[in-house]
Amino acid sequence: MTASGEQPGSAAHVLELVANGSATSRADLVRELGLAASTVSARVQELVEAGLLTESGEGASRGGRRPRLLRVADRGAVALAADLGSHHIRTGAVGLTGGVLDPEDLAFDLTAGPDGALDALAGQLAALAERQRAAGRTVRGVGLGFPGPVDADGARIIAPSRMPGWHLFPLRDRLADRLGLPVLLDNDANMMALGEHRTARPARRHLVVVKAGRGIGSGVISDGRLHRGARGSAGDISHVRVDRAAQLPCSCGNIGCLETVASGAAIAAALRTRGLRADSAADILRLVEDGDAHATTLVRQAGRDIGTVLAVVVNFFNPEAVVVGGALAAAQPLVAAVRGTLYERCLPMATSELAIDAAVHGPDAGLLGAGHAVLRLAAGTGGAPAAPR
């Protein structure tokens, strides 16, 4: 399954309207959707039977019977979610209300190949599933964000740079077989974009969400839905060539890519050449917070480089917001440099109402996006979707 948006009037769309507060009763849904009351009632009943919605209490009357209020079930359905980085795995459970339940981090080197990573990921998710069931919750499926390209069907990893052994690996189906649960797989930046859009900025219809961590990626929300492109590679800005990278070789096999100068891995490598200890994004942030001039300069320049690439995207796509997430988003000089470069290089019409901010949900944005995508897809298929074959 793929993390595509909901169809208008579907059960998933109904769930979305209730979850974001746009509708609190069946009558509200009829007005919002422009559908027959019988159709709306059928959608609501599907969601109630699936344990995703509840009806309780009464709202204010508008001249007729007092409507029963719809609420997203606080307990009941959850999705397991995992956000994979090249050197970590973060997992948690996501319901339709609230934040991430039972978050857990595991240091793990995904660049060592898929077999060990699959064992570690399956073990961590299986334990998480058992804890959720013990708490009386129903596990609907698993949402997974991977730090590399995923094919259009959401089944396999496609040629991820810096990760030998992962090309064409059927991660979705292998994990589904191990867990006995349906699995939704997508690029990690896409999952972050979904999380930021649905839980922090539901009124924004057009967003670009950048994940700046050890690598660089971005997800695109167009007209309220995730845009993945024809083959699933929409938003991959990491391998756009930039002047400052010149002839630097990139792990993708090309030269001069944005990743070679603006990623966390590139910044850390440059700091190590100066004798500074920098093995992770946390080390970079520590140096910036301590006022280290070299780290601050490199982070600020990375923000300018990212902003230079994003300027083309903003002029072309004209989003309402650019959101900077990932570990490096906590570095204010980077976010400020992105903002300044966009204002400098973009058309005034494109930036006059453009919001440029750090992500609201930090390390949980990808988990929230993955979890909500699974729950909404489950709602759209009348319950837990069938495990992929």
Side-chain angles (χ1 to χ4, degrees), residues 312-336:
V312 178
V313 176
V314 168
N315 278 335
F316 180 79
F317 176 52
N318 189 204
E320 297 168 87
V322 170
V323 180
V324 183
L328 292 181
Q332 288 301 314
L334 184 139
V335 178

Side-chain angles (χ1 to χ4, degrees), residues 291-346:
D292 183 87
H294 297 309
T296 303
T297 297
L298 287 171
V299 165
R300 186 176 290 118
Q301 183 59 57
R304 294 193 189 101
D305 293 329
I306 294 170
T308 297
V309 172
L310 287 178
V312 178
V313 176
V314 168
N315 278 335
F316 180 79
F317 176 52
N318 189 204
E320 297 168 87
V322 170
V323 180
V324 183
L328 292 181
Q332 288 301 314
L334 184 139
V335 178
V338 170
R339 184 181 294 114
T341 302
L342 288 177
Y343 284 137
E344 175 187 340
R345 290 176 174 260
C346 292

Side-chain angles (χ1 to χ4, degrees), residues 257-319:
C257 296
L258 176 66
E259 180 175 293
T260 64
V261 291
S263 65
I267 295 170
L271 290 170
R272 289 195 296 270
T273 64
R274 296 179 176 272
L276 296 169
R277 184 176 70 83
D279 298 316
S280 65
D283 293 332
I284 296 170
L285 294 175
R286 172 182 51 79
L287 290 168
V288 171
E289 290 169 0
D290 289 345
D292 183 87
H294 297 309
T296 303
T297 297
L298 287 171
V299 165
R300 186 176 290 118
Q301 183 59 57
R304 294 193 189 101
D305 293 329
I306 294 170
T308 297
V309 172
L310 287 178
V312 178
V313 176
V314 168
N315 278 335
F316 180 79
F317 176 52
N318 189 204

Side-chain angles (χ1 to χ4, degrees), residues 1 52 76-82 92-95 125 128-129 132-133 137-144 175-176 179-185 367 370-379 383-388:
M1 39 184 179
L52 298 173
V78 296
L80 309 183
V94 176
L125 288 171
L128 176 62
Q132 297 308 304
R133 291 170 181 139
R137 303 184 183 104
T138 301
V139 178
R140 295 290 184 186
V142 179
L144 179 63
L175 188 59
L179 296 175
L181 290 167
V183 174
L184 186 154
L185 171 67
L367 296 180
H372 279 273
V374 170
L375 291 172
R376 281 159 173 73
L377 188 59

